[in-house]
Amino acid sequence: MDDCIFCRIISGAIPSQRVYEDDEVLAIRDINPQAPVHMLLMPKRHITSLGDVSDSEGPLIGRIALVAASLARDEGLAERGFRFLTNAGPEGGQAVAHLHFHLLGGRQMAWPPG
Ligand code: AMP
Ligand code: ZN
């Protein structure tokens, strides 16, 4: 999708700091980090949000979670803990309408989120 900023990052039209990539998944550093470690993991195929996934996308979502766990280990967060989340839709606080998951760590997280 030409008007999707994350599709443009995936195609390379917009530069990003890539930390992981395979045929289906890309992970980048967030441009405005909210924690010492803040990465975004996304499917390379445009899916608008978690509210739009179907059963056939189960393996893809599972793979993204496994990549997040691996990146958390790589960043030394496995023992300390980390947060893995997605914002979905307007009330979920989703600003970019391409499914992505935040991996945050390196500081104490609070609950509830804002
Ligand atoms: P969300 O509110 O869940 O849609 O989060 C969107 C995230 O994308 C925010 O944390 C932004 O800082 C991040 N973001 C926006 N543009 C870029 C970009 N060009 N490169 C990396 N991260 C970005
Ligand atoms: Zn997109």
Side-chain angles (χ1 to χ4, degrees):
M1 284 183 58
D2 290 352
D3 58 347
C4 171
I5 184 170
F6 285 177
C7 281
R8 288 170 61 75
I9 284 174
I10 289 157
S11 75
I14 295 176
S16 66
Q17 239 187 301
R18 296 181 180 227
V19 289
Y20 174 85
E21 181 170 13
D22 63 30
D23 286 351
E24 291 187 311
V25 178
L26 176 67
I28 62 171
R29 302 243 179 227
D30 196 291
I31 204 168
N32 183 24
Q34 301 301 308
V37 176
H38 188 173
M39 298 174 182
L40 302 173
L41 296 90
M42 62 193 76
K44 287 190 168 176
R45 189 157 50 84
H46 183 91
I47 300 170
T48 302
S49 87
L50 194 61
D52 294 298
V53 296
S54 57
D55 285 358
S56 64
E57 274 134 2
L60 172 63
I61 303 302
R63 283 189 57 204
I64 292 173
L66 290 172
V67 170
S70 174
L71 289 171
R73 285 192 291 272
D74 291 349
E75 297 281 328
L77 300 175
E79 296 290 318
R80 298 176 62 181
F82 57 89
R83 186 166 286 177
F84 179 59
L85 66 94
T86 188
N87 299 318
E91 288 198 1
Q94 183 177 8
V96 178
H98 179 127
L99 174 63
H100 56 283
F101 294 83
H102 298 255
L103 174 62
L104 296 143
R107 67 167 170 81
Q108 181 63 53
M109 299 293 157
W111 195 264

